[in-house]
Amino acid sequence: MDRKCVHSCKGLCNALEVAEHREQESLTQYREYASGCDYPDVKQLLDALIADRERALRLLRETREMLREKFNLMDSINDSFA
């Protein structure tokens, strides 16, 4: 997934989409490793990495949603002047 940033976040931010996709892939992979791991120290590290990835993924999704709402509001304001 190698997209260039178009420097126009209106509608879709490629950087956030790519980052979200990569975080989701990492999360999936860490969960697979953690489910098969039976060494406590490694399992604990993988669980911590999973928690970090979940927080990052949540932040990316919240930011994308916030930007979507912000652009919708700006569109509504602009439409009211048209």
Side-chain angles (χ1 to χ4, degrees):
M1 187 160 196
D2 190 25
R3 292 189 186 174
K4 299 288 184 197
C5 184
V6 294
H7 300 282
S8 169
C9 293
K10 177 89 170 84
L12 178 67
C13 180
N14 285 339
L16 290 179
E17 183 181 328
V18 169
E20 187 176 333
H21 179 74
R22 289 192 177 155
E23 287 298 324
Q24 185 61 56
E25 286 178 338
S26 295
L27 188 54
T28 300
Q29 193 169 31
Y30 286 142
R31 283 181 177 148
E32 287 176 15
Y33 293 145
S35 70
C37 183
D38 52 2
Y39 191 77
D41 291 341
V42 174
K43 174 99 168 117
Q44 184 178 15
L45 173 62
L46 291 172
D47 288 342
L49 290 172
I50 289 168
D52 289 345
R53 296 292 184 194
E54 287 172 339
R55 279 190 293 278
L57 191 56
R58 188 171 43 253
L59 178 59
L60 287 164
R61 289 178 176 159
E62 289 171 356
T63 301
R64 193 168 39 88
E65 180 62 23
M66 183 267 311
L67 287 173
R68 187 187 64 75
E69 290 176 12
K70 183 177 180 179
F71 288 129
N72 285 342
L73 179 62
M74 290 183 346
D75 284 345
S76 295
I77 291 170
N78 287 335
D79 288 347
S80 71
F81 289 107

